[in-house]
Amino acid sequence: MLREVDIVDAHHHFINLPELEYPWIDSRPPALTALLPNYYDAAHRYLPSDYRAQVEGMPVTASVACEFGAADGVAEAIWVQHCADRFGVPNAFIAAVQLDSVDLAGVLARYRDLPVVRAVRQPLYWAADPIKRLGARGDYLSDPAWLRGFEQVADAGLVWDLLVYDEQLPATHDLITAFPDTTFVLEAAGWPVDLTAEGFTRWEERLTAVSQFPNVVLKLQGIALIFGTSLEAISRWVRTAISIFGAGRCMFASHYPIDHLLWDTETMVSTVQAALGDVPSTEQALFFGETARRVYRLPAGDA
């Protein structure tokens, strides 16, 4: 049974086909079907009205949309601002950046003119197994040009959504330390590559180490995609993540439309609530909504 809770969905996507181009839809990289065989069932037009229909009947009072690999990140952000202005969805947006790009300053300037943009991100996922490489390169975190780009993001006062696997976390420590005034949102629960018992132990150790930095918060999107949909599959990961970071530094997220291929909204919320078990209601309120409102600067009670 669902327990009463105010939900801020801290991470979902839109797809504005055919107005915007999405190279990943055209090229269909095998890394995505390796994640989920029917991943491309979600590769179609997905608008605010579609999202609202999928969360209808649930207490989702605000949401944070995230860039979804459009060829023109600025055009995507401008369209999302239009959606926010016209339909009230989303309430914040995580826009795309390429930190070693020659036009980074211009892109950030455009984003400053869009009130919906509160954060930016660039995929850094890299692993020994080529099928797991969702970033363009594996050396960004040590590349001087990329790091100079990060200085511009920090100066702009934007939140940085951090996309790395758990085995990359030690390499992020210097970056996080160098920018103590920037909030880092570690996506996908620090995405553990190895889901075995040994992999869980390593993920727990790496997550504990990065949690020592007070400017890092954790977002638990893609739970179904990474761990599965059963209570047994997700419980120890969800409870351990929250016990390490604390509910005041953790955020719930749907990862729609992708995770909607795996479960509906009522099943998602009720399963996560069951995984939380006896976590006090005050902490559940932080996890399901209040942390995201604080991190992405959403007004209290934003609808």
Side-chain angles (χ1 to χ4, degrees), residues 93-117:
F93 183 58
I94 304 158
V97 289
Q98 181 75 29
L99 294 192
D100 56 347
S101 170
V102 294
D103 64 344
L104 176 63
V107 168
L108 293 177
R110 296 296 301 277
Y111 290 161
R112 281 195 293 273
D113 294 333
L114 302 174
V116 77
V117 176

Side-chain angles (χ1 to χ4, degrees), residues 11-300:
H11 193 106
H12 65 84
H13 301 287
F14 293 134
I15 301 176
N16 187 22
L17 287 171
E19 283 77 8
L20 296 175
E21 296 181 4
Y22 297 83
W24 64 270
I25 293 179
D26 295 332
S27 62
R28 300 198 167 220
L32 297 179
T33 49
L35 280 174
L36 185 65
N38 65 327
Y39 192 101
Y40 287 97
D41 287 355
H44 54 76
R45 191 170 174 86
Y46 186 76
L47 305 178
S49 57
D50 301 304
Y51 172 75
R52 278 182 158 164
Q54 291 185 342
V55 301
E56 186 177 7
M58 302 301 295
V60 177
T61 58
S63 77
V64 181
C66 182
E67 64 85 19
F68 208 19
D72 187 336
V74 171
E76 181 183 32
I78 291 171
W79 173 73
V80 170
Q81 181 68 63
H82 168 76
C83 292
D85 293 340
R86 184 173 180 183
F87 307 112
V89 177
N91 304 86
F93 183 58
I94 304 158
V97 289
Q98 181 75 29
L99 294 192
D100 56 347
S101 170
V102 294
D103 64 344
L104 176 63
V107 168
L108 293 177
R110 296 296 301 277
Y111 290 161
R112 281 195 293 273
D113 294 333
L114 302 174
V116 77
V117 176
R118 310 289 168 79
V120 291
R121 74 171 195 169
Q122 177 182 344
L124 304 179
Y125 292 123
W126 196 262
D129 183 353
I131 204 67
K132 296 184 183 297
R133 295 174 184 173
L134 300 176
R137 287 169 29 202
D139 63 343
Y140 281 124
L141 290 167
S142 60
D143 176 49
W146 191 89
L147 293 170
R148 285 194 296 272
F150 198 96
E151 292 177 2
Q152 296 185 53
V153 169
D155 290 342
L158 292 164
V159 171
W160 177 261
D161 264 46
L162 179 61
L163 289 81
V164 292
Y165 293 124
D166 67 319
E167 60 189 29
Q168 296 174 274
L169 281 174
T172 69
H173 291 190
D174 287 347
L175 176 68
I176 295 166
T177 302
F179 296 95
D181 296 327
T182 296
T183 297
F184 290 79
V185 176
L186 178 57
E187 290 197 9
W191 201 329
V193 173
D194 181 359
L195 301 183
T196 66
E198 294 79 9
F200 177 87
T201 299
R202 288 191 291 269
W203 166 81
E204 185 177 20
E205 292 171 348
R206 292 161 177 161
L207 210 60
T208 298
V210 79
S211 74
Q212 303 308 306
F213 300 105
N215 56 325
V216 179
V217 296
L218 191 66
K219 181 157 58 178
L220 281 75
Q221 94 270 20
I223 292 173
L225 180 67
I226 299 170
F227 305 116
T229 58
S230 71
L231 178 60
E232 180 183 14
I234 73 168
S235 284
R236 64 172 181 165
W237 301 95
V238 171
R239 288 184 67 87
T240 300
I242 293 177
S243 69
I244 291 172
F245 269 84
R249 294 170 64 198
C250 288
M251 293 183 282
F252 169 82
S254 72
H255 196 234
Y256 280 6
I258 302 303
D259 278 40
H260 198 267
L261 298 173
L262 297 164
W263 54 11
D264 59 66
T265 309
E266 183 173 354
T267 302
M268 172 179 62
V269 175
S270 61
T271 305
V272 173
Q273 285 184 330
L276 296 178
D278 58 358
V279 171
S281 59
T282 52
E283 294 189 18
Q284 291 206 27
L286 291 168
F287 169 65
F288 277 106
E290 292 174 18
T291 302
R293 289 190 187 278
R294 172 177 59 80
V295 170
Y296 292 113
R297 304 192 303 280
L298 306 179

